[in-house]
């Protein structure tokens, strides 16, 4: 996916879809600064591998959790 989100947003999404109520913990870098938002560059995969996003990140997480459950 080329959606921009923080690691905390991703962790919250995974935790929300999971039946596990253990939660998650975000450990900040030693500098104490929150990391910037991360947006992966998938342009090369789109052009060279003809990558197309067919399902959303949320659906991908749900399917992954279901596969390993």
């Amino acid at each position: 996916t080329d959606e921009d989100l923080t690691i905390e947003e991703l962790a919250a999404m995974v935790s929300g879809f999971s039946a596990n109520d253990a939660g998650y913990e975000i450990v900040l870098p030693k500098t104490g600064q929150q990391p910037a938002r991360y947006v992966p560059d998938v342009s090369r995969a789109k052009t060279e591998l003809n990558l197309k996003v067919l399902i959303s990140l949320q659906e991908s997480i749900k399917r992954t959790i279901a596969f390993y459950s």
Side-chain angles (χ1 to χ4, degrees):
T1 181
D2 54 2
E3 296 178 41
D4 83 338
L5 67 156
T6 65
I7 298 299
E8 183 172 9
E9 290 167 336
L10 179 60
M13 195 180 306
V14 171
S15 180
F17 293 140
S18 154
N20 184 339
D21 62 352
Y24 59 92
E25 177 182 359
I26 302 298
V27 179
L28 295 176
K30 291 183 181 185
T31 62
Q33 296 178 344
Q34 183 77 16
R37 296 181 80 80
Y38 177 71
V39 182
D41 181 5
V42 295
S43 59
R44 186 172 173 195
K46 285 181 177 179
T47 58
E48 293 183 19
L49 302 174
N50 200 27
L51 173 74
K52 292 181 177 67
V53 176
L54 301 177
I55 60 174
S56 68
L57 175 62
Q58 293 82 355
E59 183 63 23
S60 299
I61 293 169
K62 289 177 186 177
R63 290 182 184 190
T64 302
I65 290 170
F67 178 82
Y68 286 102
S69 296

